[in-house]
Amino acid sequence: MSMDDKYLWHIRGRRYDFTSFVHKHPAGPTMILMGQGRDCTELFESYHAMTDLPSKMLKAYEVKTDEKPVEESAFYWDSTPFFDDLKGRVRAHFKSTGRSHKASAGMWARIILGLVSLSIITCFWIRGHWWTLVVLPVVYWLTGPLLLHSGAHGSLSHNWRVNHYLSYVGCFLASLTTWNHLHNIGHHAQTNIDGKDPDLQHFQHLEPDKAPGYRLSWQQPWVPKYTNYLIAMLFQAHFTALAPALMCEPLYYSTDALLGAVPFMRLGPAELQRHWAGRALVFAWAFAVPCALHGLAKGLCFGLVPYVSLGFLFFAFSQVSHLSEDCFDPPPPAPGARCGRPEWAAHQVVSTVDYAPASRLWGALSIGLNAQVVHHLFPAVDPSHYPDLAPHVVAACAAHGVPYVAYRSWPEAWAKHVGWVARLNAV
């Protein structure tokens, strides 16, 4: 990539310079800067699925250069009949209901209740009440990661500042900068593509003398220690929240690409200082404050137990949606595609499974992760709408011959995930 390309946005094989538009961007500067210096076609198309206006604005920002052509996307974008049909159905749904695709009144009531409950429980946690070690991680899971996830996707509100600042409630799971790279840029755009989706890299630990590990894709190398995959799963679950929040931060930022999969956004000294100051505050609040108030042993207990419990919740609900045998069947090539490239929307459907997508109970408990097909196709739509949108997605899949998989419940989805891990690692 040339020096100039590091400052440009690449969409559908063309270069654009949005520098003058960054602070005018309706979803805020962070959202548009995620695409700078990289092929951001998938980000651009999915986040603007509810309107055609951004596509109409592109020509005014196009840059004509003599540089070599932009690297071709892994997906075929010249013709997208499946995604076009999906967008039409979802837009028609919101037009017919007269509702916004952002957070519903019910979701805002749930968020307010969660924030109030979290504040009260935190007060008891600071005072050293042992029962908070059980209740705090559950209430935080239902509130903090929900706001980090939805806020970072811009799905809560049309006001980008509301999305941006509420996402910081989830800072004990990951910093916003780290989350944007791991989740929005890497995982959402390149789901289940080895070497590009960082969610496939977390648990490998290829070195024999390192932590217990296992692989999540048949494309990844197998090492003998993976036969102990059940022990590795239990071990890794303990750190699924603590690692991205604190333990792995130095590793993440020691290279030019997060986990070797996602090249970093241009981060200046001021951005990096704010990032590390934020991580220091998280560590101080989670560990230093309780140790100072209650002594080393009780303080560490009050820091580690909630983090480990949060990790188990995150592990249990986040692994099942993309990591089972049904998520690794290749989608059919898009009509007219060269070299058999699939349509991106079809790839999202076949690399994802839902479980009880019509259930608002499972939707609440999983913070919307039970309906990941809808979410991956329309990340800017709030989870409160997923149960209503799922039938439209199923109908579009049937019309275009795209296989859609939905399990009946989370236990079934978990069993499928464990079965997939066993198949990959047992021999």
Side-chain angles (χ1 to χ4, degrees), residues 185-213:
I185 300 172
H187 173 64
H188 261 258
Q190 310 288 338
T191 310
N192 280 7
I193 298 179
D194 187 42
K196 293 186 176 182
D197 181 355
D199 280 9
L200 296 178
Q201 318 295 128
H202 290 301
F203 307 133
Q204 282 185 277
H205 300 290
L206 291 169
E207 302 86 348
D209 58 339
K210 296 294 183 180

Side-chain angles (χ1 to χ4, degrees), residues 131-378:
W131 60 267
T132 62
L133 300 187
V134 176
V135 179
L136 179 61
V138 175
V139 175
Y140 185 79
W141 163 254
L142 297 173
T143 309
L146 170 68
L147 292 174
L148 173 64
H149 191 210
S150 297
H153 282 306
S155 68
L156 292 172
S157 170
H158 288 288
N159 186 324
W160 71 265
R161 290 178 176 84
V162 172
N163 295 312
H164 182 76
Y165 291 113
L166 280 178
S167 68
Y168 284 108
V169 179
C171 66
F172 288 90
L173 182 64
S175 77
L176 184 56
T177 301
T178 299
W179 182 263
N180 282 336
H181 286 85
L182 283 173
H183 188 72
N184 294 11
I185 300 172
H187 173 64
H188 261 258
Q190 310 288 338
T191 310
N192 280 7
I193 298 179
D194 187 42
K196 293 186 176 182
D197 181 355
D199 280 9
L200 296 178
Q201 318 295 128
H202 290 301
F203 307 133
Q204 282 185 277
H205 300 290
L206 291 169
E207 302 86 348
D209 58 339
K210 296 294 183 180
Y214 56 98
R215 62 176 182 166
L216 293 169
S217 167
W218 60 267
Q219 296 174 307
Q220 296 172 326
W222 181 88
V223 295
K225 72 175 182 179
Y226 286 177
T227 55
N228 296 316
Y229 63 91
L230 287 176
I231 295 175
M233 291 179 74
L234 181 62
F235 175 84
Q236 297 295 344
H238 284 76
F239 301 102
T240 307
L242 190 58
L246 293 170
M247 293 174 60
C248 290
E249 283 286 291
L251 171 65
Y252 291 160
Y253 291 85
S254 64
T255 62
D256 294 331
L258 195 149
L259 291 177
V262 185
F264 277 105
M265 298 162 57
R266 291 192 305 112
L267 299 172
E271 289 88 353
L272 286 173
Q273 289 172 8
R274 286 195 294 270
H275 170 78
W276 290 114
R279 294 302 87 198
L281 286 173
V282 167
F283 175 81
W285 183 258
F287 293 99
V289 169
C291 285
L293 292 175
H294 308 296
L296 182 62
K298 185 174 180 179
L300 287 176
C301 182
F302 268 62
L304 286 172
V305 171
Y307 248 123
V308 169
S309 300
L310 177 64
F312 270 94
L313 288 168
F314 187 36
F315 185 86
F317 284 112
S318 66
Q319 297 299 291
V320 301
S321 296
H322 301 285
L323 301 170
S324 69
E325 185 173 6
D326 292 314
C327 299
F328 287 88
D329 291 329
R338 299 181 299 277
C339 303
R341 289 184 297 160
E343 186 179 339
W344 174 81
H347 174 81
Q348 292 299 316
V349 174
V350 301
S351 60
T352 307
V353 295
D354 287 344
Y355 53 94
S359 170
R360 296 192 180 274
L361 175 61
W362 279 114
L365 294 176
S366 69
I367 63 171
L369 299 183
N370 65 316
Q372 284 291 279
V373 172
V374 177
H375 172 64
H376 269 248
L377 294 168
F378 301 95

